[in-house]
Amino acid sequence: MLINVLLTLWFYTAHGQGKPCSYPVIKHGRLYYSYRGYFPARVHQQFVYSCDHHFVPPSQRSWDHLTCTAEGWSPEEPCLRQCIFNYLENGHTPHREEKYLQGETVRVRCYEGYSLQNDQNTMTCTESGWSPPPRCIRVKTCSKSNIRIENGFLSESTFTYPLNKQTEYKCKPGYVTADGKTSGLITCLKNGWSAQPVCIKSCDRPVFEKARVKSDGTWFRLNDRLDYECVDGYENRDGRTTGSIVCGQDGWSDKAACYERECSIPEMDPYLNAYPRKETYKVGDVLKFSCSQGRIMVGADSVQCYHFGWSPKLPTCKVKSCALPPELPNGKRKEIHKEEYAHNEVVEYACNPKFLMKGSHKIQCVDGEWTALPVCIEEERTCGNIPDLDHGDVKPSVPPYHHGDSVEFSCREAFTMIGPRFITCISGEWTQPPQCIATDQLRKCKGSILFPPEGRPAHKIEYDHNTNRSYQCRGKSERKHSICINGEWDPKVDCKEEAKIQLCPPPPQVPNACDMTTTVNYQDGEKISILCKENYLIQDAEEIVCKGGRWQSIPRCIEKIGCSQPPQLDHGTINSSSSAEERREIHEQRLYAHGTKLSYTCEEGFEISENNVIICHMGKWSSPPQCVGLPCGLPPYIQNGVISHKKDSYQYGEEVTYDCDEGFGTDGPASIRCLGGEWSRPQDCISTNCVNLPTFEDAVLTDREKDFYRSGEKVAFKCLSYYQLDGSNTIQCIKSKWIGRPACRDSQGKCGPPPPIDNGYITSLLKSVYPTGSIVEYRCQAYYELRGNRNVVCRNGEWSQLPKCLEACTVSEETMRKHHIQLRWKHDKKIYSKTEDTIEFMCRYGYRELTPKHTFRATCREGKVVYPRCG
């Protein structure tokens, strides 16, 4: 045997035929009908081999040839692993079975919240099978409910986020992120969200009037202090040349403004005397007047220097009496009516219940004319529940409680009331309620040396609650009285010299405020409520206070600033009760008045996340709500299929996939999506098997016919004796349809039946054989356009190039209504357009364009058209 092998080797080498091949070892395969006596094999010698289960030759046939070459056996790796991709656990399974050779890679799609091992999205066919396995495992997700952003919100409507998903959060108006921006980004990580978003209160850089700021920042945090200094010749309200303001919850604590330090001497009536007489007067100085030569002063007897000048107007020296004072709408006079009122006489007014007074409650007769009336405006704010009183009761009353309404309390037996019996609703707040103290626990008041002696040391004498005592101070003739109230004398027993009460001049006429001209002086502690003119908004306190002979807390009336277009809302629109003409006018102006309220409505399938109203306040809209997609219940049932993973409920946008029974499949996507409380329409699971094997006059079946064939299965034919094969000899079952036909060409140049085309047909009756030069005509079904030559010719056993039938575009009234559009030139309910035809749209009346202008000239492309949108 060894001699035979050596002789064989010498023979091949001597004759230049290359090195022979020894017996092959085929991994995962074996030779057909081979004996070791055949080896070594000569170059170019071939052997038939097959592979084990799950392995195939590189040609993917059931068997192949192993060839001896000068370099060795070919193919070098005869058997390769064949991986089948027909199911993906927790992922989207392919519509039909797919086969891959060893080394090939396929990209897969897992369900939301799932991923392949090690967060991969591809599988590779290896010698041992798929790597990683076709199994999607749940990955870490982050939930919207796991994070709460104070003064901010997540801008997306999604509820769950996969690992490494980045999303944007936004701060409400008046708040910013830690780095001063209105929005920021967070990422879903394995341990949860990357960071806790923070929206901090901020104040924009204020506008400075006659002042210089000591910082170049453009925004400031809560409690940040901003220092400023006045330009030369100016000072702030406190009379200083420097000051500071603090960023608070309601904005800056004050206005960084400086005013002229002085008022010049005003021009006066020649009979009017002013004092104190000075060259200049500082802000806050008061100038008093008197008339000479027996004349009577008409007007205020004093004025005050403010940053905007002297106020009120200077008096004159005249005299006249007044007729009856005017009636006050929604109010009444306190005084008894008289026929005539003397010069300088004062009349007081009070507003009716539910109304709040703005302006001075006193008017004065000045040279025959009454000064300006106050205004009684309706107070919309009401008070809540009556406060509880321990050991006391309240007389029955019916809510709501409006401004000016009072309720009466009483204490139970053995308890004594301390404080006022009535409480009153004032601008939405109740006044301080009384107390009910056990009568036997009422404290006594200690005596005073100012009381008349009673035979015992004064400090050892005690007085019961409600005891009234009188006393007289040294050098004074009048007697004082005080009453003991639960251990305290009211008023305090004291003989100290009382400070002389300083009266305030008549209140100033604040610029852009309603007229409240008066000449009446006010006592310390009295307040006046200021009412700004229409289209002006009060800033700072609404009331000015008389304190120490001067008016304090002077407010400003600033012009109301309108807002530009309101924020857009995903899946939502703005309600408007105005007419289409008014909406168009507002849109052209792009401005909404201060105080305007707009409400949002969500599209069908979405619900509003919070209060649906936004308000325009001084040029800025309040924070808008969000439209959140409604969840869905159980997905719809389909025949011959089941849901891969069933739950009780599904969030908006969530997908589920159907698995069809064996032998069934879908003619399209196998998944449906939850869209606003309803599921998208599922595809039916239809049979994918093929029946009724077609027959061909120029070819016959090579095997026995079966009752049915599975999708993907192929059937081979052979040509008849006078035909020859010109290409594939197989047809394939694809989703219950037979695809292809045997390519048998007449050996004498004749053609078989002309092939069919999609959405078209042949005008003549079919024949089994067509001689060379024969012509057949194709036509398309209704609403399909023929592209190519409609006449096909038989030449040398082959048909010339076939035409195509292109699908038409259909536009329905329902589709246009959903997009708020209509046809520009036609009014048909339904039209059909050919490929490359142009369809022109326009917005319905009262809507505006949301997509670019060019999208309203859409082109039909093979049955598809892109619609514009209006809103």
Side-chain angles (χ1 to χ4, degrees), residues 485-523:
I485 303 295
N486 193 28
E488 299 289 337
W489 290 105
D490 184 29
K492 187 177 180 181
V493 178
D494 198 350
C495 277
K496 290 181 181 179
E497 190 71 28
E498 294 181 0
K500 188 176 181 180
I501 297 175
Q502 290 182 287
L503 296 177
C504 286
Q509 178 60 48
V510 177
N512 300 314
C514 292
D515 184 20
M516 63 173 193
T517 305
T518 181
T519 58
V520 180
N521 296 82
Y522 279 74
Q523 293 184 355

Side-chain angles (χ1 to χ4, degrees), residues 47 239 418 684 729:
F47 295 88
I418 304 298
D684 292 328
N729 68 330

Side-chain angles (χ1 to χ4, degrees), residues 449-627:
I449 58 174
L450 297 175
F451 294 159
E454 297 181 4
R456 284 186 296 163
H459 66 277
K460 291 188 178 181
I461 301 176
E462 291 186 337
Y463 297 88
D464 291 333
H465 169 77
N466 218 25
T467 301
N468 196 333
R469 292 289 294 169
S470 64
Y471 60 96
Q472 190 173 9
C473 296
R474 183 180 297 176
K476 302 290 184 181
S477 60
E478 70 273 9
R479 298 186 68 80
K480 290 188 173 184
H481 297 269
S482 187
I483 187 169
C484 176
I485 303 295
N486 193 28
E488 299 289 337
W489 290 105
D490 184 29
K492 187 177 180 181
V493 178
D494 198 350
C495 277
K496 290 181 181 179
E497 190 71 28
E498 294 181 0
K500 188 176 181 180
I501 297 175
Q502 290 182 287
L503 296 177
C504 286
Q509 178 60 48
V510 177
N512 300 314
C514 292
D515 184 20
M516 63 173 193
T517 305
T518 181
T519 58
V520 180
N521 296 82
Y522 279 74
Q523 293 184 355
D524 195 75
E526 286 194 279
K527 299 178 181 180
I528 293 179
S529 186
I530 303 298
L531 179 64
C532 292
K533 291 180 180 177
E534 189 176 0
N535 206 37
Y536 284 85
L537 185 69
I538 197 163
Q539 197 168 56
D540 305 325
E542 292 188 11
E543 295 179 323
I544 60 174
V545 184
C546 175
K547 190 174 183 181
R550 294 183 179 184
W551 288 105
Q552 308 288 337
S553 305
I554 310 299
R556 292 182 301 135
C557 290
I558 58 174
E559 188 174 4
K560 294 177 181 177
I561 303 173
C563 294
S564 58
Q565 290 300 299
Q568 294 290 332
L569 201 62
D570 290 341
H571 307 292
T573 55
I574 294 174
N575 291 329
S576 178
S577 58
S578 58
S579 64
E581 184 177 347
E582 289 174 339
R583 291 199 302 269
R584 187 163 56 251
E585 184 177 334
I586 290 174
H587 178 67
E588 291 172 357
Q589 293 177 349
R590 292 186 174 271
L591 196 66
Y592 290 78
H594 170 87
T596 299
K597 293 183 180 181
L598 297 177
S599 61
Y600 288 93
T601 299
C602 293
E603 295 175 0
E604 187 177 354
F606 291 82
E607 62 181 358
I608 211 80
S609 63
E610 49 190 280
N611 184 13
N612 69 331
V613 176
I614 59 171
I615 303 174
C616 172
H617 182 81
M618 294 307 290
K620 291 185 178 181
W621 290 104
S622 58
S623 180
Q626 289 181 277
C627 286

Side-chain angles (χ1 to χ4, degrees), residues 265-302:
I265 299 175
E267 292 186 9
M268 298 183 296
D269 187 294
Y271 297 101
L272 192 64
N273 301 316
Y275 61 94
R277 196 83 175 186
K278 297 189 293 185
E279 290 290 331
T280 57
Y281 297 85
K282 288 189 175 183
V283 172
D285 283 353
V286 175
L287 191 59
K288 298 185 178 182
F289 304 98
S290 64
C291 288
S292 59
Q293 297 183 7
R295 290 181 177 264
I296 297 175
M297 187 183 301
V298 178
D301 65 353
S302 59

